[in-house]
Amino acid sequence: MTNFPILDLIAGLIFIYFLMSIISNSFFEGLSALRKIRAKMLEKWILATLPGLADSILNHTIVNGVSEPGKSSSYLSGKNFSLVILDTIAKFSQTVPKNLSELSVMIDKVTTDQPGLVPEDLKRSLQLYIVEAQQAGARAGQLKTEFELYHEQVEKWFDSMMERVTGSYKRFASKITFIIALSAAFALNIDSISIAKYLYSNKDAREKTAAAAYAAPDDSTFKAIVNQIQTIKTTDTNSISAERIDSLQTIIKKIEKERDRIAGTSEYLGTLIPIGWNCKAEIDLLKLQHPSITQEGWIYTLYSISKFFGLMITVFAISLGAPFWFDVLNKVANLRSSLKPGSTNANIDKK
């Protein structure tokens, strides 16, 4: 440990926030897998953006090959989306275009014969992409076919749309994570103010928590957890590298894994600090700390205010996420390593 108890105290608090963030994230991932939140958001976008084609798209082999019929998978690549759009329009026109000129005529015919099937803005975009692909093909020679250039344009459009869907998912995740953080903090009574007082007055607990905090950045288990969380958070809805199997067995295994992670993290947290509710003991301690307050009502008021702010500090801290606190732990550990143990005493002796 360092000769700076305050640094150890801060490191300990950060480590506790990190552990609580892991619990919060694990709970959300289990809920997300159970409720198929990503898949539902992608399906909602398809239904809202392409109402006339939605059923055909959701029941297409490329889409429902990894999900239930009529339901979207959690992930859909731009390439597959482009193929599905082309194949779906070809199905309605009952012809297969041999070139982009035929595709352009086919789109016009389908939209004329079946009004509302293809939204007007999508129709204009598809026709524009055909023109752009033809012009690019003329400039590129034989390097790429016109259809390849056309698919690239549609893929780019889809990817830009999925950025919005991913943004909506992240905003939704933030709200749910806050609710989970609120529930976890109150359920386990992780009160930042009380914990700070406990660690400050309890040297052994402070040093044990600080030691765990300084070791965390080099812990392979914690690194793996943080990497997994970062991968999930940065994975777009159209990523083809992410897990795409939505079977019940896969979901159950994922939920069990997250459940075990929550249980393990909670148990480990309990070895560092006292967790759980014991209001009588906390109030008795408050009376000892403030002997001048003799009226019970004021003691309970002080306890309630301190408890509320202590828990809310924890909630907001947890909401920042495990990757954030892991990064902060790295910086604190580096700061600690730059402080030579005993340097303060050595300077005093020299004086």
Side-chain angles (χ1 to χ4, degrees):
M1 296 305 97
T2 67
N3 290 324
F4 302 95
I6 295 299
L7 181 61
D8 292 341
L9 171 61
I10 293 172
L13 282 172
I14 292 172
F15 185 60
I16 290 167
Y17 295 150
F18 171 62
L19 293 179
M20 288 298 296
S21 297
I22 290 176
I23 291 177
S24 177
N25 179 261
S26 297
F27 194 94
F28 176 75
E29 285 307 313
L31 177 66
S32 181
L34 180 64
R35 301 295 300 172
K36 298 184 179 180
I37 296 174
R38 285 179 181 268
K40 287 182 178 179
M41 283 197 161
L42 180 55
E43 180 182 337
K44 182 180 179 180
W45 176 84
I46 292 174
L47 289 169
T49 308
L50 307 166
L53 300 173
D55 288 340
S56 297
I57 292 173
L58 293 174
N59 285 292
H60 197 282
T61 304
I62 292 178
V63 176
N64 69 23
V66 290
S67 63
E68 300 175 11
K71 300 292 182 181
S72 171
S73 62
S74 298
Y75 307 96
L76 181 63
S77 70
K79 181 178 180 180
N80 284 342
F81 176 82
S82 178
L83 292 172
V84 169
I85 285 290
L86 179 60
D87 189 57
T88 301
I89 293 176
K91 183 186 73 173
F92 280 102
S93 67
Q94 297 182 342
T95 57
V96 177
K98 298 177 182 178
N99 51 56
L100 292 186
S101 296
E102 290 186 8
L103 176 60
S104 179
V105 173
M106 186 177 71
I107 292 174
D108 282 332
K109 185 176 184 303
V110 168
T111 53
T112 301
D113 294 344
Q114 302 185 53
L117 182 67
V118 180
E120 282 298 318
D121 55 348
L122 177 60
K123 175 188 173 182
R124 288 193 299 270
S125 296
L126 293 177
Q127 295 287 22
L128 177 62
Y129 297 149
I130 289 174
V131 174
E132 290 179 351
Q134 288 174 330
Q135 292 176 347
R139 292 193 300 267
Q142 300 298 319
L143 294 178
K144 289 184 178 180
T145 66
E146 288 185 345
F147 269 112
E148 287 177 328
L149 294 169
Y150 169 76
H151 282 304
E152 286 181 0
Q153 295 291 338
V154 178
E155 288 170 31
K156 289 178 182 178
W157 174 82
F158 178 76
D159 290 345
S160 67
M161 293 297 103
M162 287 305 98
E163 288 179 5
R164 299 181 185 179
V165 176
T166 301
S168 298
Y169 174 81
K170 290 180 178 178
R171 287 190 293 273
F172 175 80
S174 297
K175 293 178 182 178
I176 299 300
T177 299
F178 181 83
I179 295 173
I180 294 171
L182 188 68
S183 303
F186 275 78
L188 297 177
N189 189 24
I190 308 298
D191 174 356
S192 291
I193 295 175
S194 295
I195 291 172
K197 290 179 178 178
Y198 173 79
L199 293 178
Y200 185 78
S201 61
N202 191 320
K203 182 180 178 181
D204 290 339
R206 183 176 68 246
E207 290 185 347
K208 182 172 68 172
T209 308
Y214 295 136
D218 296 321
D219 190 300
S220 59
T221 301
F222 287 140
K223 285 182 178 179
I225 292 173
V226 172
N227 286 336
Q228 181 183 348
I229 294 172
Q230 288 177 324
T231 300
I232 292 172
K233 288 183 70 175
T234 56
T235 297
D236 290 335
T237 316
N238 60 323
S239 172
I240 59 174
S241 61
E243 183 183 9
R244 299 177 60 171
I245 305 299
D246 291 322
S247 67
L248 180 60
Q249 185 178 9
T250 301
I251 293 174
I252 291 174
K253 287 182 178 179
K254 187 172 183 178
I255 293 173
E256 289 177 345
K257 179 182 177 182
E258 300 301 342
R259 179 200 63 194
D260 293 342
R261 180 178 293 172
I262 292 173
T265 305
S266 180
E267 183 179 352
Y268 181 48
L269 186 63
T271 66
L272 300 174
I273 57 171
I275 60 176
W277 286 91
N278 190 344
C279 296
K280 185 179 183 304
E282 291 184 76
I283 292 173
D284 289 342
L285 179 61
L286 201 60
K287 289 179 180 179
L288 291 174
Q289 294 172 342
H290 301 276
S292 60
I293 303 177
T294 56
Q295 295 184 4
E296 289 282 325
W298 286 110
I299 284 291
Y300 281 103
T301 300
L302 180 61
Y303 171 76
S304 300
I305 293 174
S306 175
K307 180 62 64 178
F308 174 78
F309 282 104
L311 288 171
M312 291 311 297
I313 289 172
T314 304
V315 170
F316 283 108
I318 295 172
S319 300
L320 294 175
F324 172 84
W325 290 116
F326 190 74
D327 183 55
V328 175
L329 272 178
N330 262 302
K331 294 177 181 178
V332 172
N334 291 334
L335 175 62
R336 178 251 183 180
S337 63
S338 68
L339 299 173
K340 296 181 180 179
S343 60
T344 303
N345 293 335
N347 291 335
I348 292 175
D349 291 342
K350 287 180 180 179
K351 292 179 179 179

